[in-house]
Amino acid sequence: MAEDPALADLVAQVRAAQADRQPLQICGGGSKAFYGETPRPDLRPLDVRGLRGISRHEPTELVVTVRAGTSLAELEATLAAHGQWLPFEPPHYGVDPRQGTVGGMVAAGLAGPARATAGGVRDYVLGASVLNGRGQLLSFGGQVMKNVAGYDIARLLPGSLGVLGVICEVSLKVLPMPPASCTLRFELDELASLKRLQRWGTQPLPVSASAWWNGMLVVRLAGAVAAVEAARAQFGGEEVDAPLARDFWQGLRDQRDEFFINAQQAIAVGATLWRLSVPQSAPAAELPGEHLIEWGGAQRWCVTTAPATKVREIAQRLRGHATAFRGQREPGVFAPLPGPQAEIQRRLKAEFDPDGLFNPGRLYPDL
């Protein structure tokens, strides 16, 4: 990879930016450009889409190594041909499903409906190659490899929004697709749905995803045939036709379903789409506006015009935190970090990007 022309061009651009003290905005397909703080207007674009291709895929080892500019759709199609998938169901967003890239998937660290049971992006990153602010290519891969500060670097990249460096290549753990799947729906209010999800969460059941909105709880079972059939009989409810269920979960993952369409319309007239991350056992969030609940109760979406202070106060009361996902970004997209965690973030930034070249202010305004 070190001799690749696309990589050499990125190295040259980073070194030139370092010499000019010119900050850079790392760019891929742009499907997640809305996420995080608003990029500064003075940033020079650094396009990573030249780094394309699957470097290595060993289906029997359940590992794939892929370059950051590769489209997420291409990777998923390659895995599907071998009966495998990315279990955290990364969202694509964007109008064109080929728009999102693998690098953007890791940098954003966002996961889809199966996150609560399958884990998140960080749980599947085995290694990575990163271009730092000095124009050096650093590799952290396979087994846990740490820098002198003691950090597991490959797992720090998911959710970093590019502030640590340019992700060039990643190695990911993949899994076989579940042999059986079934989607059920129940007419329940929010409180009853939360109670039922919490009860199911304490049992060894093959629940892989759930969503509640507007009086309807939808649950996906996935796993061994016998386990899915047994749970199906135990749960009751109304079974959803497979094509309709597939479209529903994909729409939820990519925020193309009715709740998120309505959210966009509300955002256009001043509302904000908030994502609350809370314990699954948390009670209903007493916030005005439309609510959607995922991940067995651990992820709560809310479209509201309530002030950020109120939303974050309620999230803290529920022992969680709130992110301004779409819409209003003031006074900050992400919940402020406690002092020690903020200091760790600053030290990491100084270690990997001492001149502050990469995506300044994208994760936190002062980072």
Side-chain angles (χ1 to χ4, degrees), residues 137-150:
L137 186 67
L138 308 178
S139 295
F140 310 89
Q143 300 177 359
V144 173
M145 298 181 65
K146 301 179 180 181
N147 71 350
V148 293

Side-chain angles (χ1 to χ4, degrees), residues 186-197 211-217 284 293:
F186 309 82
E187 291 188 12
L188 294 169
D189 63 23
E190 182 177 5
L191 180 60
S193 295
L194 286 171
K195 288 182 177 179
R196 190 167 297 196
L197 290 169
W212 176 89
W213 175 60
N214 197 25
M216 186 70 68
L217 174 63
I293 299 173

Side-chain angles (χ1 to χ4, degrees), residues 50 94 101 111 121 129 180 184 186 192 230 233 249 259 289 302 338 363:
T101 62
V121 182
S129 294
L184 306 172
F186 309 82
W249 294 115
F259 172 83
C302 180
L363 189 61

Side-chain angles (χ1 to χ4, degrees), residues 28-32 48-49 51-54 64 66-81 84-94 96-112 121 170 172-174 253-254:
S31 62
K32 299 169 187 67
V48 302
R49 286 176 294 180
L51 294 175
R52 295 183 59 87
I54 296 174
V64 63
V66 57
R67 303 172 79 191
T70 308
S71 77
L72 182 54
E74 178 184 342
L75 172 60
E76 290 180 324
T78 298
L79 296 177
Q84 297 175 345
W85 70 322
L86 299 170
F88 53 91
E89 296 183 295
H92 289 232
Y93 303 138
D96 186 343
R98 298 167 299 178
Q99 187 177 355
T101 62
V102 171
M105 172 193 78
V106 175
L110 299 172
V121 182
V170 293
L172 301 165
K173 176 174 66 176
V174 300
R253 178 197 67 180
D254 295 334

Side-chain angles (χ1 to χ4, degrees), residues 34-320:
F34 69 89
Y35 185 56
E37 300 288 346
T38 303
R40 282 171 27 184
D42 62 328
L43 304 185
R44 179 188 299 168
L46 182 70
D47 195 331
V48 302
R49 286 176 294 180
L51 294 175
R52 295 183 59 87
I54 296 174
S55 305
R56 181 173 177 266
H57 179 212
E58 295 294 340
T60 58
E61 297 178 8
L62 300 177
V63 174
V64 63
T65 300
V66 57
R67 303 172 79 191
T70 308
S71 77
L72 182 54
E74 178 184 342
L75 172 60
E76 290 180 324
T78 298
L79 296 177
H82 295 276
Q84 297 175 345
W85 70 322
L86 299 170
F88 53 91
E89 296 183 295
H92 289 232
Y93 303 138
V95 177
D96 186 343
R98 298 167 299 178
Q99 187 177 355
T101 62
V102 171
M105 172 193 78
V106 175
L110 299 172
R115 167 65 177 85
T117 54
V121 182
R122 180 175 289 105
D123 300 302
Y124 291 84
V125 174
L126 300 176
S129 294
V130 182
L131 191 61
N132 70 7
R134 301 178 181 88
Q136 301 167 326
L137 186 67
L138 308 178
S139 295
F140 310 89
Q143 300 177 359
V144 173
M145 298 181 65
K146 301 179 180 181
N147 71 350
V148 293
Y151 298 107
D152 182 358
I153 300 305
R155 296 190 180 219
L156 289 176
L157 297 174
S160 66
L161 290 181
V163 302
L164 297 180
V166 184
I167 300 170
C168 296
E169 187 175 72
V170 293
S171 293
L172 301 165
K173 176 174 66 176
V174 300
L175 291 180
M177 292 180 176
S181 179
C182 172
T183 294
L184 306 172
R185 61 186 175 193
F186 309 82
E187 291 188 12
L188 294 169
D189 63 23
E190 182 177 5
L191 180 60
S193 295
L194 286 171
K195 288 182 177 179
R196 190 167 297 196
L197 290 169
Q198 289 162 12
R199 185 174 72 249
W200 288 336
T202 64
Q203 303 174 35
L205 296 167
V207 176
S208 74
S210 63
W212 176 89
W213 175 60
N214 197 25
M216 186 70 68
L217 174 63
V218 184
V219 177
R220 183 177 64 192
L221 307 173
V225 174
V228 170
E229 290 180 349
R232 167 70 184 89
Q234 175 183 339
F235 278 34
E238 177 187 357
E239 186 167 355
V240 180
D241 291 341
L244 182 61
R246 183 180 60 251
D247 290 345
F248 171 78
W249 294 115
Q250 288 180 350
L252 187 66
R253 178 197 67 180
D254 295 334
Q255 297 191 349
R256 291 185 283 102
D257 72 341
E258 187 177 357
F259 172 83
F260 291 103
I261 291 173
N262 293 345
Q264 288 285 26
Q265 296 171 351
I267 289 167
V269 293
T272 299
L273 174 63
W274 289 90
R275 183 183 67 185
L276 278 66
S277 298
V278 300
Q280 291 183 333
S281 58
E286 297 179 0
L287 272 170
E290 289 289 321
H291 294 250
L292 184 147
I293 299 173
E294 288 191 88
W295 300 0
Q299 178 163 265
R300 317 281 179 93
W301 297 97
C302 180
V303 186
T304 182
T305 56
T309 52
K310 180 176 181 179
V311 175
R312 291 204 160 113
E313 177 186 336
I314 290 175
Q316 288 183 334
R317 194 183 308 155
L318 297 175
R319 295 184 293 119

